[in-house]
Amino acid sequence: MTNETDTFLTEALALWSGRFRFPGLLVALSDGRVTSPEDLALLGLEGIAADGNEYQTFLGLISTGEFQVVEEALAECQSLETAQIDELRTRLRRRRAECLQNLLGTVQQLLDRAGAAEVDFDLDRGALIALCERSWPQVQERLQAKEDALRDSLREKRATLRARCEEAARRAGEWDGALGWQSDALRGVSTLLEAGQLRAVELLLASGASPRPGPESVPPLRGWSHVAESPSEVMQWHLNAALRPRTYERWAPADQRGQELLEAFEALGDNTEAAAAQFARALARLLGTGPEESPAVSVHRVDGGYLATITGVFAEAEISRFRPADRAELFIADPETRERPELSLQQPYIAVGRSLSAADAPERGACAVLDLGHLVELVTLRSHVRLQLLRVLGRQWPLAAFTGGSVASLETLIGSEPGERWHVLRWIIDLAGLGDLTTADALAFQVGDDPALLHLFLEFLARKKRVERSQSSAYDDVRGWSKDPQFARTVEKVVLSPIADSPAAQVAFWAALSAAVPGQTVTLDEILLSAATIAGDEMADNGHVSEIRRGLARLEALPLVVRAGEEEVHFDRCGVLLVLAGEADRKVQDALFRLTEEATAAREGNGRPLSSGDWRLYRHALRPELRRYRELADTPTTKPEELTAAANELIAGSTELPAAPVDGVSDVTATLGEMEESFAAHYPEIKLQIHAPDSSPVAVSAQSLQVILYELLTNAAEACTGHGEQTVRATVTPLGTEFVVDVQDSGPGLTYVEGTEHVVFRKRESSRGPDRGLGLYNARRLARGVDGDLSVRSRALGHPVLRGAHFQLLLPRA
């Protein structure tokens, strides 16, 4: 009888209109289990205590990931307004995509851990994906059980391998029960064990040779934050045997070469060419590339010290790929020099000096300091000295030292074979100080096989590690990249760049992401159905079938596409696409609107001189007519002829600057980021490179800044059009109370005689046809109106690659 009563109560509650304010009841009822009256009462009391309304209940369920409960309840709840339901469904879609990304990232991480350890691990990815559509808490429960099982397997295998290693070390006389491993090689094995690289350890035990285990096999330097002594104290112990305590044994040089290097460092106090040459030779000997007696090293006097060239820094087999020539410039500073030198060398270099410290650099730069603390640690090493030295330098150098500075260089460096790509990526991340093994795993999952995305994420990590070094781990930075709005927009732009000019291809892209999880094949029919479902009555009568079919075939150009044709597309399963899928429905609508707009203009023969995102609009940022044009362009009901008339009125206006205020506050970094997409659409063949800090606030109005940057970037783009690899670079640098914006291009350069380039700023001065010659004139007027300036840099100081014009803009800090 009790069971019948329980069933009746459950069925009654399932029909009760007030249940939508009780999240616990909704979950219990959705599970289909017969819950006892006592449990139902407790769930009801919890809902009463929370005192939430229906909308808050749904928000909470979406946050916890009870997706099926929300979908079922939204279909039945009569208490919510239509706008609220639409918003909740959008939140549901985004949260589901976020959880799916977390699921696949965790699954990949578990599979990688199992593969690196070569242990049996059973995991049904498809079943978990299906479950994630319904309930994230249930997925978490299953994942936790799988992770616990894997941890037990790893613990058991790790213990077995450690025992084998200890036994092998005892037989070789390299194990002490109190002190542990007695050689760097075996300490490296211990590091591999802790990192979970059990397969690599098995290979080492079987063959005695290294199976290229990667950087995690080499323990990091101790670092002075973990020791009681200071570098200066240890240095005195090296120089005076009478001062040495018992703990000196921990710091004793591995051989005579280490002692000679420290003595040579002390001799730099003499500030002579002979002392500088002695140090350079001692460092070369420590790196093992010169003859044992005295490698030949030439030193030259330069401003602030001496300059020498040494080899051996990149001589280690695994790191030689980053600089095959293996030559590094060594700056040896005068004893009183405390500031890092700024030398115009072609590659990042090393600096050494009695008063230089590696900790004094807040940002990465071409100069990496090798200070006394690092030297004292390096001389104690019996192996991997070059690698440890490069770790010290790489955390200070720009990331380009290990990526080549471009997507093409990085692609060549990492190769195409998946195993080799991951291996090289681990070295890049380690040497540049960006993270560890888990970071490499997370990166590989997020970016798939797209080298442009990989390059972008590595730059993102380098920036994060500089700005927020102590706030979050690199692994969390990679997993949470979408929480950075500016970076997320850049990621989307990079993914879509091959189809940026095709609304039809973008409709196919977003509709395919909306139709199925990346990693599955999506057909044209499914894409058309997805687009029609999202657009509803806004879908054109013909459905744009032919355009979308052609656009679908263009998806073949995307690196994250496994295959594509006019009938289907198969995306790579990666984190970036999983995140983008959360915005797919809204993006489909936007792309369909652009596609319809484009098709209407083509049919009516009424092409618009300017679209709402046209690059040329920035030229008119100070003109009052622009506001009316933007309002018309953003209104869906605006007739094409109205927009055309407004555009013609805007273009036909005076090219003189209007009497508008130039004072205000804006941000150069944000403005360049905003203008980048329009520039790329207007000049698709030109590569725009932007190097800027996270923020660069300046004392000039946003509209004035847009006009200045428009004129500079347009001038550069027109100059380099048709001249080989077409590149425009904008670099923003803080300088005292100002920000410096350098705009360079790869064009042929100014035609004026050296020393007379200033005439380019004269009114109506131009070699590019009539009605020209006001752009740079206006830009300089605006800059000087806020106590800034605009000038041409000397060609004698020109960039070795970007040999065209070099304009330098100075703007006061806000």
Side-chain angles (χ1 to χ4, degrees), residues 52-72:
N53 56 33
E54 288 84 350
Y55 179 76
Q56 292 168 333
T57 296
F58 282 114
L59 285 180
L61 290 171
I62 290 171
S63 177
T64 55
E66 293 292 357
F67 306 130
Q68 182 171 307
V69 175
V70 173
E71 284 184 331
E72 293 172 351

Side-chain angles (χ1 to χ4, degrees), residues 274-392:
Q278 178 188 356
F279 179 84
R281 285 194 298 269
L283 181 57
R285 286 192 62 196
L286 183 74
L287 298 176
T289 59
E292 190 66 24
E293 59 278 2
S294 180
V297 177
S298 299
V299 298
H300 305 278
R301 182 68 186 179
V302 295
D303 186 26
Y306 300 88
L307 192 63
T309 301
I310 63 171
T311 58
V313 179
F314 291 85
E316 193 109 348
E318 287 293 342
I319 56 181
S320 61
R321 57 168 59 87
F322 299 111
R323 195 178 293 185
D326 188 28
R327 294 172 61 83
E329 303 294 333
L330 174 66
F331 175 79
I332 304 166
D334 293 339
E336 67 277 5
T337 299
R338 296 182 179 276
E339 298 295 328
R340 292 166 178 252
E342 296 184 4
L343 305 179
S344 298
L345 303 176
Q346 292 185 344
Q347 294 177 319
Y349 58 96
I350 311 166
V352 174
R354 295 287 300 275
S355 301
L356 292 180
S357 171
D360 290 341
E363 299 183 356
R364 295 175 180 268
C367 174
V369 171
L370 181 61
D371 60 20
L372 179 59
H374 296 132
L375 289 173
V376 170
E377 284 198 85
L378 288 172
V379 301
T380 65
L381 303 178
R382 297 185 180 278
S383 63
H384 300 299
V385 177
R386 303 171 190 128
L387 169 59
Q388 297 286 24
L389 170 62
L390 199 55
R391 278 176 169 169
V392 171

Side-chain angles (χ1 to χ4, degrees), residues 418-574:
E420 183 66 14
R421 287 168 63 93
W422 185 66
H423 181 75
V424 178
L425 178 60
R426 286 152 64 200
W427 279 108
I428 293 173
I429 289 173
D430 178 85
L431 296 175
L434 304 182
D436 55 16
L437 186 67
T438 62
T439 309
D441 286 342
L443 263 182
F445 169 68
Q446 290 293 337
V447 306
D449 292 331
D450 190 340
L453 274 182
L454 176 58
H455 188 268
L456 181 68
F457 268 79
L458 287 171
E459 293 285 356
F460 170 70
L461 267 185
R463 176 177 64 84
K464 294 281 284 187
K465 297 300 285 183
R466 182 185 74 236
V467 177
E468 305 167 14
R469 195 179 307 273
S470 61
Q471 296 182 18
S472 63
S473 70
Y475 177 78
D476 291 336
D477 288 339
V478 175
R479 291 288 298 275
W481 64 268
S482 60
K483 297 176 183 177
D484 184 323
Q486 183 176 351
F487 181 71
R489 288 194 297 270
T490 306
V491 168
E492 179 182 324
K493 192 180 305 178
V494 169
V495 171
L496 295 176
S497 59
I499 57 171
D501 63 333
S502 173
Q506 292 181 38
V507 170
F509 174 85
W510 292 113
L513 283 185
S514 177
V517 175
Q520 302 177 14
T521 298
V522 186
T523 65
L524 173 64
D525 289 341
E526 290 171 326
I527 289 171
L528 293 172
L529 177 61
S530 175
T533 302
I534 294 169
D537 294 338
E538 298 176 6
M539 191 75 168
D541 293 338
N542 64 4
H544 298 297
V545 176
S546 59
E547 297 102 313
I548 295 175
R549 183 191 300 275
R550 290 192 296 270
L552 181 59
R554 284 198 58 180
L555 298 188
E556 181 70 28
L558 301 181
L560 294 181
V561 167
V562 178
R563 65 178 182 276
E566 290 191 351
E567 297 299 327
E568 66 178 29
V569 63
H570 187 104
F571 288 121
D572 188 8
R573 181 185 284 113
C574 66

Side-chain angles (χ1 to χ4, degrees), residues 162-175 186 205:
R162 183 175 291 279
R164 289 176 58 190
C165 290
E166 291 176 3
E167 179 58 31
R170 286 191 187 93
R171 289 198 302 268
E174 294 182 341
W175 170 261
L186 288 174
L205 289 171

